[in-house]
Amino acid sequence: MLPQSYQQRYQELLTALEQLLHTMTAANQEQEGIGEKFQHVKQVFAQQITSLTGDELDPEIEPRWRSFQTEIYRALRLLEMDMTFLQASRRSATANPRQAAISDRLSTLIGYCQALLQADGDRESQGEI
């Protein structure tokens, strides 16, 4: 489905998202560490993913890729709002639901990246690429 250059970029985003999720779920989580990991995710997205145009893609897969691209962008914007709300949380009763929402959103983003990367493996195993 995706050219190697796209795969590498989505793999980098996937790794950054997984690191942020790991930091979120760590027992001794520090808000500063979470913020740093989130900034890294934003940086990877801005530098690696937003520059992809889809021009190099097969016309049959370009619409599906574009849908994933749109959903990833939307989810990252929502994640940014969730992170802002988490930073504004003063009590654990407020912070805990925010952290759960962030973890859910990260899982969704990870799923999008895996789906894009997995589609390649599925097609390769079927001899379509």
Side-chain angles (χ1 to χ4, degrees), residues 17 20-21 38 71-83 85 97-112:
L17 290 166
L20 177 55
L21 181 60
F38 177 65
E71 291 305 316
I72 289 171
Y73 175 76
R74 286 181 187 165
L76 278 171
R77 294 292 304 249
L78 292 170
L79 179 61
E80 186 169 20
M81 286 184 9
D82 291 338
M83 293 295 292
F85 290 142
R98 301 278 185 216
Q99 290 171 337
I102 290 169
S103 293
D104 290 344
R105 197 156 328 270
L106 285 169
S107 295
T108 299
L109 282 160
I110 289 169
Y112 290 152

Side-chain angles (χ1 to χ4, degrees), residues 58-70:
D58 183 329
E60 291 181 17
I61 61 170
E62 191 270 337
R64 183 170 184 254
W65 168 81
R66 193 158 307 283
S67 293
F68 273 109
Q69 189 80 341
T70 300

Side-chain angles (χ1 to χ4, degrees), residues 89-100:
S89 299
R90 301 284 181 237
R91 301 182 330 218
S92 63
T94 309
N96 290 342
R98 301 278 185 216
Q99 290 171 337

